[in-house]
Amino acid sequence: MGRGLKIELARVYGFCPGVRRAVRMVEEHLAREGPLATLGAIVHNSHVVEALQEKGARVARTVSEVKEPTVAITAHGAGQEVYAEIEKRGLKLVDTTCPIVKRAQEAARRLAEEDYTVLIYGEEAHPEVRGMLSWTKGKGYATLSPGELPELSARKLAVISQTTKDREAFWGFVRDVIARFHPLLGDLRVVDTTCPETGRRYQAALELAAHVQAIFVVGSRNSANTRKLAETCRKTGVATYFIESAEEIDPAWVAGLSRVGVTAGASTPDEVIDQVIARLSELGGD
Ligand code: SF4
């Protein structure tokens, strides 16, 4: 294949600071003190999970499944009952909860203690949201649409967000909450707990998509933020290839092209991105 294919990277891509920190904390523990169990995958990326497994980090679904002396809570955080169970079992804890998620949990806990009914803009089944709900001690609801909430008699409402949600969409949700509940409302608190990292990746991908002929989005298919990143690129009309690894690249995808872009979700490790760039270079990149 001829040379001359320009490969451009998005301005922001790959591991966010929270995920990078979580992986580093687990790796440091493995090197220093040996095996541990993580409560769920430390990051939604099979490459990272398998590499950590080889070093002694086993994935457990619940605290009761943990056989190792140490357990790690992931960057998504966990509910108060999980901390209580870890303490009850006398396990050592490596808490990799992202500081931005911690801040959202703290807001949920404080607002519930101040007697607000806490509405979380997010997916109820998502581990981060389940954790946040737990910190409201039964005074919270999670939904993507206020229309799905039951009738609420609370005069004090608070609204927070799953951290990875789009900031504009969060404020749209707040407007919908006001529209539905304003006849009863006496006091409304809004704490913007969205994380800027995901939005920065979408914005950078859009900028890249505007001047390349094809874009490669690298990451696990089970990573919600990577799927959304691919969707964002696709919507611009640019040819978008959502790949998990370099091996998936079909040479026909870049045949005749002069400029392609590469971006990656917040859970995609550097090595996988480097392999994709190396493969594209082999296929004609500069
Ligand atoms: S996306 Fe934001 S909130 Fe989530 S782990 Fe990364 S830095 Fe933390």
Side-chain angles (χ1 to χ4, degrees):
M1 189 150 311
R3 308 297 300 173
L5 178 67
K6 285 245 175 293
I7 303 161
E8 268 191 62
L9 279 165
R11 196 168 40 76
V12 190
Y13 64 92
F15 270 5
C16 65
V19 167
R20 199 175 287 283
R21 172 179 173 272
V23 173
R24 194 193 61 233
M25 285 173 78
V26 168
E27 281 177 336
E28 281 172 4
H29 178 90
L30 290 168
R32 214 177 39 236
E33 295 180 45
L36 54 63
T38 65
L39 282 181
I42 202 79
V43 41
H44 287 155
N45 187 284
S46 48
H47 294 270
V48 183
V49 172
E50 280 160 26
L52 288 175
Q53 239 156 16
E54 275 167 30
K55 293 183 197 165
R58 198 178 59 85
V59 178
R61 279 172 308 173
T62 59
V63 179
S64 58
E65 280 183 11
V66 175
K67 299 186 196 86
E68 296 75 0
T70 304
V71 62
I73 286 175
T74 71
H76 288 317
Q80 45 160 359
E81 69 289 346
V82 174
Y83 286 88
E85 206 182 337
I86 290 171
E87 199 180 331
K88 195 166 143 212
R89 286 202 48 201
L91 297 169
K92 183 165 179 182
L93 172 64
V94 176
D95 190 352
T96 78
T97 306
C98 173
I100 295 174
V101 176
K102 264 272 189 263
R103 185 179 150 260
Q105 290 176 342
E106 188 48 35
R109 186 191 61 76
R110 200 184 56 242
L111 290 161
E113 275 174 14
E114 290 171 15
D115 220 23
Y116 286 88
T117 295
V118 183
L119 306 182
I120 302 167
Y121 174 56
E123 284 120 32
E124 201 178 357
H126 191 282
E128 178 194 306
V129 176
R130 286 206 310 269
M132 281 159 72
L133 270 174
S134 153
W135 288 100
T136 68
K137 297 187 187 156
K139 288 188 188 157
Y141 295 88
T143 182
L144 292 172
S145 161
E148 289 170 359
L149 290 167
E151 284 304 326
L152 297 174
S153 55
R155 279 181 51 78
K156 290 176 79 172
L157 279 186
V159 192
I160 62 176
S161 180
Q162 181 178 342
T163 58
T164 43
K165 288 291 168 212
D166 175 70
R167 190 167 180 271
E168 283 311 308
F170 168 66
W171 283 101
F173 177 83
V174 173
R175 284 192 288 275
D176 291 346
V177 166
I178 295 170
R180 169 146 186 217
F181 295 108
H182 75 89
L184 277 179
L185 261 182
D187 184 355
L188 175 71
R189 290 279 303 277
V190 179
V191 184
D192 179 359
T193 53
T194 58
C195 168
E197 285 297 327
T198 348
R200 288 175 66 212
R201 273 157 192 71
Y202 299 146
Q203 187 52 42
L206 284 174
E207 288 165 20
L208 184 63
H211 61 273
V212 293
Q213 296 157 300
I215 196 158
F216 290 82
V217 181
V218 192
S220 265
R221 293 193 176 86
N222 65 355
S223 155
N225 82 78
T226 314
R227 282 201 306 270
K228 173 114 187 275
L229 194 59
E231 203 181 292
T232 304
C233 295
R234 227 167 253 137
K235 276 190 187 150
T236 67
V238 73
T240 302
Y241 302 104
F242 183 1
I243 53 170
E244 293 207 346
S245 67
E247 290 83 67
E248 290 177 29
I249 299 173
D250 181 341
W253 294 344
V254 295
L257 300 188
S258 56
R259 192 178 284 265
V260 295
V262 176
T263 185
S267 50
T268 313
D270 298 342
E271 309 87 82
V272 177
I273 303 164
D274 291 347
Q275 285 159 9
V276 166
I277 295 166
R279 176 70 181 132
L280 288 171
S281 300
E282 262 172 42
L283 291 173
D286 286 336

